[in-house]
């Protein structure tokens, strides 16, 4: 990197930090639509469609004055940035933003002309998996798989989403740990998977129930589906719990 481009980079980073905008100018503290300025009946408590212009109004807390404000969709990131500054995590915020932009550029170069936020999220999670697996960060690996299930659900890929949530339950029953090491001595004390710390997340179980309902999956079909994918995942990740044993625990928790 040449001296000039280094200088430019430093300057750009500095302006990025400095351009934190005045939050008092962002958002409406009164029940007024941030798009069309139409008065609303009352202050909405959560995301709401404006009855006049039909656009989505978002509710956030102003980092300066700590009051509820109504903002437009294009102002969400701005408020998140202000909160990151407030919480001392601005560097991390900017790093994540750069990572999203790099990922987006990569998807475009691969032929996806207009990657959505979900496409970007998916790619980031997908890329993180081999890294987390090689670092023995199995709790984080499990969280990444859960995030991928959420992306699939939002994309309307319900069947794939169901499989991913079933996989998360299977991983959970094996008690994934964030070891961050492959040192055999340490792994004896902190094994990568420890079924003693197993826990089924109620939220994930409820997603599975809802997806089974939406997709009309019969209980016996769900069982064979679970056993089949748990066998594959169990082999790949060398999980200690047998799929049929795990199924007993999962089916016992499903309504
Ligand atoms: Zn409006």
């Amino acid at each position: 990197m040449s001296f000039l481009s280094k200088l430019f980079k430093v300057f750009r980073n500095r302006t990025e930090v400095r351009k934190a905008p005045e939050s008092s100018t962002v958002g409406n503290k009164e029940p007024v639509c941030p798009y069309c300025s139409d008065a609303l009946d009352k202050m909405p408590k959560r995301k709401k469609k404006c009855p006049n212009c039909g656009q989505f109004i978002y509710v956030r807390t102003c980092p300066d004055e700590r009051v509820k404000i109504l903002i437009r969709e294009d102002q969400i990131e701005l408020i998140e940035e202000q909160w990151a500054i407030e919480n001392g995590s601005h560097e991390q915020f900017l790093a994540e933003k750069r990572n999203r932009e790099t990922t987006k550029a990569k998807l475009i170069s691969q032929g996806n002309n207009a990657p959505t936020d979900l496409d970007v999220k998916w790619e980031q999670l997908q890329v993180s998996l081999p890294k987390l697996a090689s670092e023995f960060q199995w709790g984080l690996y499990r969280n990444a798989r859960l995030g991928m299930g959420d992306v699939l659900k939002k994309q309307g890929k319900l069947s794939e989403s169901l499989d991913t949530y079933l996989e998360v339950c299977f991983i959970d029953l094996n008690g994934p740990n964030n070891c961050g090491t492959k040192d055999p001595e340490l792994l004896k004390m902190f094994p990568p998977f420890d079924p003693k710390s197993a826990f089924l997340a109620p939220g994930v179980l409820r997603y599975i129930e809802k997806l089974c309902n939406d997709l009309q999956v019969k209980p016996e079909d769900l069982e064979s589906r679970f056993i089949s994918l748990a066998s594959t995942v169990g082999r790949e990740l060398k999980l200690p719990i047998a799929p049929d044993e795990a199924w007993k625990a999962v089916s016992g928790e499903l309504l």
Side-chain angles (χ1 to χ4, degrees):
M1 198 186 285
S2 74
F3 173 73
L4 263 181
S5 60
K6 266 186 204 162
L7 191 69
F8 175 71
K9 198 162 174 245
V10 168
F11 183 71
R12 196 184 52 196
N13 286 344
R14 286 180 61 163
T15 42
E16 245 174 342
V17 173
R18 209 186 313 138
K19 78 171 184 214
E22 284 293 316
S23 48
S24 54
T25 58
V26 176
N28 293 334
K29 293 180 203 101
E30 306 299 325
V32 169
C33 173
Y35 300 92
C36 68
S37 300
D38 210 47
L40 304 161
D41 295 346
K42 55 179 191 301
M43 198 71 176
K45 287 200 164 57
R46 59 187 70 86
K47 183 178 163 187
K48 180 189 160 67
K49 225 176 190 172
C50 170
N52 186 47
C53 69
Q55 307 206 68
F56 277 112
I57 302 171
Y58 293 82
V59 185
R60 291 293 184 274
T61 302
C62 168
D64 277 351
E65 298 174 61
R66 310 283 163 123
V67 291
K68 292 286 174 206
I69 49 171
L70 305 180
I71 59 166
R72 302 189 304 262
E73 191 171 6
D74 65 289
Q75 295 169 322
I76 295 174
E77 194 176 296
L78 200 68
I79 295 295
E80 281 172 4
E81 179 163 14
Q82 287 167 354
W83 271 111
I85 295 167
E86 184 72 18
N87 296 331
S89 56
H90 196 210
E91 282 305 315
Q92 194 192 336
F93 176 92
L94 293 174
E96 282 167 11
K97 189 177 170 178
R98 277 194 294 272
N99 189 299
R100 279 197 301 276
E101 282 161 5
T102 312
T103 305
K104 196 169 181 176
K106 180 176 130 191
L107 290 174
I108 291 170
S109 77
Q110 288 171 351
N112 179 347
N113 290 331
T116 63
D117 289 350
L118 288 174
D119 293 337
V120 171
K121 182 90 203 155
W122 174 268
E123 182 63 22
Q124 286 177 308
L125 291 169
Q126 177 90 315
V127 165
S128 76
L129 291 179
K131 187 169 180 287
L132 295 172
S134 73
E135 290 168 354
F136 275 27
Q137 303 278 17
W138 294 111
L140 297 177
Y141 180 97
R142 173 265 186 208
N143 291 348
R145 290 299 288 147
L146 177 63
M148 292 170 85
D150 294 344
V151 169
L152 290 166
K153 185 150 65 82
K154 285 180 187 159
Q155 287 175 330
K157 297 173 184 165
L158 300 188
S159 187
E160 289 164 89
S161 167
L162 174 60
D163 283 343
T164 311
Y165 289 139
L166 289 172
E167 181 190 319
V168 169
C169 284
F170 185 51
I171 297 176
D172 279 346
L173 285 169
N174 283 279
N177 287 319
N178 291 321
C179 304
T181 177
K182 284 187 173 175
D183 183 312
E185 288 305 306
L186 285 171
L187 289 179
K188 264 184 219 159
M189 282 188 288
F190 307 103
F193 292 97
D194 183 2
K196 285 199 288 295
S197 62
F199 171 80
L200 280 171
V204 179
L205 292 165
R206 301 295 87 82
Y207 289 156
I208 291 173
E209 285 158 6
K210 178 151 194 321
L211 287 165
C212 283
N213 198 30
D214 292 349
L215 293 163
Q216 298 285 307
V217 178
K218 294 193 209 88
E220 61 270 28
D221 293 339
L222 188 68
E223 176 174 1
S224 54
R225 201 164 168 154
F226 181 88
I227 300 285
S228 156
L229 75 87
S231 307
T232 311
V233 175
R235 263 195 312 275
E236 277 171 12
L237 306 186
K238 301 186 177 68
L239 301 178
I241 298 287
D244 53 343
E245 199 184 323
W247 171 250
K248 277 181 208 146
V250 173
S251 59
E253 295 289 328
L254 291 173
L255 298 173

